[in-house]
């Protein structure tokens, strides 16, 4: 596994899951996915809260939602 600080910033990634399809929406009956780019700054997360194997990413307009966490990346 890569550590969050070992991947080059902007590395391509793909996440898949059956999470919510919108905020406060319902979960998907179909496996969905979204392309991302890694974000080594992890937005506004302080580094002391990051797990060594957590990878931060940005995706617009795609995103992940509740129910997608723990899925493949």
């Amino acid at each position: 596994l890569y550590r969050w600080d070992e991947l080059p910033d902007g590395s391509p990634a793909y996440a898949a899951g059956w999470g919510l399809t919108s905020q406060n929406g319902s979960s998907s009956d179909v496996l969905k996915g979204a392309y991302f780019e890694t974000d080594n700054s992890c937005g506004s997360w302080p580094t002391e809260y990051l797990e060594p194997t957590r990878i931060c990413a940005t995706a617009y307009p795609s995103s992940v939602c509740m129910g997608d966490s723990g899925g493949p990346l």
Side-chain angles (χ1 to χ4, degrees):
L1 291 176
Y2 284 104
R3 291 172 44 97
W4 67 271
D5 57 353
E6 292 176 334
L7 285 174
D9 201 28
S11 293
Y14 188 82
W18 284 274
L20 302 183
T21 56
S22 64
Q23 187 173 357
N24 300 320
S26 59
S27 57
S28 177
D29 293 332
V30 177
L31 181 64
K32 298 211 174 235
Y35 285 100
F36 294 86
E37 289 185 358
T38 59
D39 176 13
N40 291 355
S41 69
C42 288
S44 60
W45 280 88
T47 55
E48 62 265 19
Y49 293 113
L50 298 177
E51 300 290 330
T53 55
R54 179 174 286 167
I55 297 172
C56 297
T58 59
Y60 182 82
S62 300
S63 185
V64 294
C65 199
M66 298 293 292
D68 289 325
S69 59
L73 176 67

